[in-house]
Amino acid sequence: MDIKRVATDAVNETIVMTVVHMDYKGQVAKRINEKMPLATVKGFRKGQVPKDLVEKQYGKAIKQEEVKKVVDLALERFVQSERLNLLGTPLAKENENFDWDAEELTFEYEIGLVPNFEIDLEAKNNIVKYIVTADDKLIDGQVERIQKQFGKAIPQDKVDADSDLTGTFSNEEKGIDNTTTISVSTFNKKAGDKFIGKKVGDVVTVSTKGLFADDHQLMDYLKVSHDDVHGLDVEVNFTIEAINGAELAELNQELFDKLFGEGKVASLEDLKAKIKEDAEAQFAQQADQKLLLDVQDFLIENTKFDLPAEFLKKWLQTVGEKKLSAEEAEVEYARSEKGLRFQLIEGKAMAQSNIQITFEDLKAFTTNAIRQQMAQFGQTNPTDEEVQGIVARVLSNQEEVKRLSEQVVAEKLLEVFKEKANPTTKEVTYEEFIAASYGE
């Protein structure tokens, strides 16, 4: 067998394989011999069919099967021996006039290669690292929400600006169907005004675009996935099922202990300090996420390399349970190209910065995530045994391991980006951060 690579350009090649009779004749002969005792041909007893008739009836199919085995194995070994870094998998070139009776059988496979490129993590940029602070307006608003949450609900006949609404958001096309409780003040003013004066049973239609100050709230109240949060612009119906005002809870030691544990908060000043601390910790995570996305966008925009685009579009038509048309593959490639580019850049950045993930890294990250989740549900002091039991269960799930590993990689890359990209630091309020993030 002869096998070689023919380059089209830096990221596209063809593997050409020439198979001769010696490559498969022995296995074909073996298969024919195995077939003879089982062959049935009219006019002959089973097992008594002459070999030439067996070859005539079954030989072509057996030859094709055995040649395919030879070609598949040779292709796999060739890719390994050449250490080819492929995008997708080899695609066989179709040949409608292929001659299976030829002395030499030639097979061609298109391949797409990972491009060679360099990244400059220290390139000059305009990236901003935001330090988000909780101002008095935000803190006072959170204090009021706590008082309302733990206060006494007072049924109302109709909605006013201070009402809490229980109802269901729905949009059949987007699969939105979520029952929730929400304050009128949580909406932006334009949307909130639509509810004023409404009664139980009324249906209010609002747009998801700009519905809240932070698009992420769509995840909380409409149960929209994170991938769909930004840029979602559809109308949803809110069916009002209950309207309540609130008698605000008293800010006393009983409430403080209920919220944070006995003796941890002893005054309104302590409460505000705790709200500020918790809010700014959460804001820091959001700011880090924005920094990571901004660095990603910068690197994608400023790291130039070619992809085997046409090859990948053809390859996309062949993978997955549902085969794609050429038009569907074009759309899918356009949708995924940016992610593919950053995946390659990410791999280069990890190698360049010698980033590696150990099981201990993954375990520590998972432990921290579990403790944060438990704290959100009021379990502020779980035992190490409880936490590690949950961690063990989580890490026994391969899908979870994959998801968490991606988060660990992102966290490690973020630290590299903070150091190398040297972003400008800017202190802002949460409202200013939202405006900078989403242009609102």
Side-chain angles (χ1 to χ4, degrees):
M1 177 188 294
D2 178 63
I3 183 167
K4 60 185 177 182
R5 294 161 55 188
V6 179
T8 304
D9 54 40
V11 291
N12 290 279
E13 292 188 0
T14 300
I15 295 177
V16 181
M17 308 174 65
T18 302
V19 180
V20 296
H21 192 226
M22 291 292 293
D23 296 322
Y24 58 84
K25 73 171 186 176
Q27 193 61 25
V28 169
K30 179 182 176 183
R31 289 278 306 278
I32 293 292
N33 289 335
E34 291 172 349
K35 193 74 176 177
M36 288 184 65
L38 305 173
T40 56
V41 175
K42 189 175 181 179
F44 295 91
R45 290 182 180 181
K46 185 177 180 179
Q48 300 298 316
V49 181
K51 187 172 184 178
D52 60 338
L53 290 182
V54 174
E55 289 178 339
K56 183 176 180 180
Q57 183 167 351
Y58 300 104
K60 184 174 182 179
I62 290 174
K63 175 181 177 180
Q64 291 178 1
E65 290 173 7
E66 293 305 319
V67 168
K68 184 177 186 305
K69 291 178 184 178
V70 168
V71 168
D72 288 347
L73 181 59
L75 180 62
E76 179 182 350
R77 289 176 173 173
F78 183 74
V79 169
Q80 293 174 349
S81 67
E82 294 286 300
R83 297 184 178 180
L84 298 179
N85 200 358
L86 302 182
L87 289 173
T89 53
L91 289 179
K93 283 189 175 182
E94 295 184 8
N95 182 354
E96 295 180 357
N97 300 315
F98 191 86
D99 183 8
W100 281 97
D101 295 322
E103 286 295 321
E104 294 185 345
L105 305 176
T106 301
F107 300 88
E108 295 184 335
Y109 288 84
E110 295 178 75
I111 57 173
L113 301 175
V114 171
N116 289 318
F117 62 93
E118 298 297 328
I119 58 173
D120 184 1
L121 297 176
E122 300 180 28
K124 185 177 180 181
N125 60 71
N126 296 318
I127 298 170
V128 176
K129 180 182 184 301
Y130 290 97
I131 307 297
V132 187
T133 61
D135 59 10
D136 290 341
K137 178 182 176 182
L138 185 147
I139 294 171
D140 290 341
Q142 184 61 24
V143 170
E144 183 177 347
R145 278 190 287 276
I146 289 173
Q147 288 183 280
K148 288 179 70 175
Q149 180 182 352
F150 292 92
K152 180 181 178 181
I154 302 174
Q156 295 178 315
D157 293 329
K158 59 183 180 180
V159 179
D160 63 35
D162 296 318
S163 295
D164 292 327
L165 308 176
T166 297
T168 301
F169 282 107
S170 61
N171 178 292
E172 186 175 351
E173 180 185 354
K174 291 293 183 180
I176 297 170
D177 183 18
N178 187 58
T179 300
T180 188
T181 297
I182 187 170
S183 298
V184 173
S185 59
T186 302
F187 297 107
N188 70 26
K189 188 176 186 307
K190 184 177 179 180
D193 286 346
K194 290 186 175 184
F195 290 86
I196 305 302
K198 300 296 183 181
K199 299 180 179 180
V200 170
D202 287 345
V203 178
V204 180
T205 301
V206 292
S207 172
T208 57
K209 185 176 182 181
L211 185 59
F212 305 114
D214 180 358
D215 283 345
H216 287 93
Q217 289 176 282
L218 294 171
M219 297 169 61
D220 298 325
Y221 292 109
L222 278 68
K223 298 305 178 187
V224 175
S225 72
H226 188 272
D227 291 340
D228 295 332
V229 164
H230 303 304
L232 183 65
D233 186 7
V234 297
E235 289 191 335
V236 291
N237 293 324
F238 185 87
T239 303
I240 301 174
E241 298 162 8
I243 307 168
N244 289 294
E247 180 180 308
L248 299 182
E250 183 180 350
L251 295 172
N252 55 27
Q253 194 61 50
E254 181 182 356
L255 178 61
F256 298 153
D257 290 348
K258 186 175 182 179
L259 287 170
F260 304 106
E262 188 173 349
K264 292 186 177 181
V265 170
S267 64
L268 176 59
E269 289 71 26
D270 288 350
L271 174 62
K272 289 185 175 182
K274 180 62 175 172
I275 291 171
K276 181 178 177 67
E277 177 187 350
D278 291 348
E280 290 182 352
Q282 181 180 350
F283 298 160
Q285 292 179 355
Q286 294 182 37
D288 278 348
Q289 184 62 29
K290 175 170 172 53
L291 175 62
L292 182 60
L293 292 174
D294 288 346
V295 172
Q296 288 179 4
D297 288 341
F298 175 81
L299 290 174
I300 290 171
E301 180 66 27
N302 291 275
T303 305
K304 304 298 183 183
F305 54 82
D306 292 325
L307 289 172
E310 295 308 312
F311 166 81
L312 289 172
K313 292 172 189 176
K314 286 194 284 186
W315 177 74
L316 285 170
Q317 295 177 57
T318 69
V319 295
E321 295 181 6
K322 178 181 178 294
K323 303 304 180 185
L324 301 182
S325 67
E327 293 75 18
E328 289 171 330
E330 186 86 32
V331 172
E332 177 62 19
Y333 179 77
R335 186 191 68 80
S336 59
E337 181 186 2
K338 182 177 178 180
L340 174 58
R341 286 185 177 276
F342 187 71
Q343 185 179 350
L344 296 174
I345 291 171
E346 182 180 67
K348 179 74 74 170
M350 289 181 66
Q352 191 168 300
S353 303
N354 197 28
I355 294 176
Q356 297 179 344
I357 301 176
T358 66
F359 179 74
E360 289 306 314
D361 291 331
L362 184 59
K363 185 177 178 181
F365 181 88
T366 306
T367 299
N368 185 54
I370 294 298
R371 286 189 178 279
Q372 289 180 352
Q373 290 177 3
M374 295 179 78
Q376 290 175 359
F377 289 96
Q379 294 178 266
T380 55
N381 292 300
T383 66
D384 288 342
E385 185 178 356
E386 289 175 321
V387 174
Q388 293 309 314
I390 298 173
V391 169
R393 289 197 297 274
V394 170
L395 295 183
S396 67
N397 184 315
Q398 290 302 310
E399 288 298 317
E400 282 297 296
V401 169
K402 179 181 177 183
R403 183 181 67 83
L404 291 165
S405 296
E406 290 172 352
Q407 294 181 21
V408 175
V409 168
E411 190 175 78
K412 286 179 173 285
L413 280 174
L414 180 62
E415 294 306 311
V416 171
F417 293 157
K418 284 180 180 178
E419 176 188 352
K420 301 288 187 181
N422 193 27
T424 302
T425 299
K426 184 177 182 180
E427 187 172 303
V428 295
T429 66
Y430 187 65
E431 287 185 352
E432 291 169 336
F433 175 70
I434 292 300
S437 298
Y438 311 121
E440 298 174 0

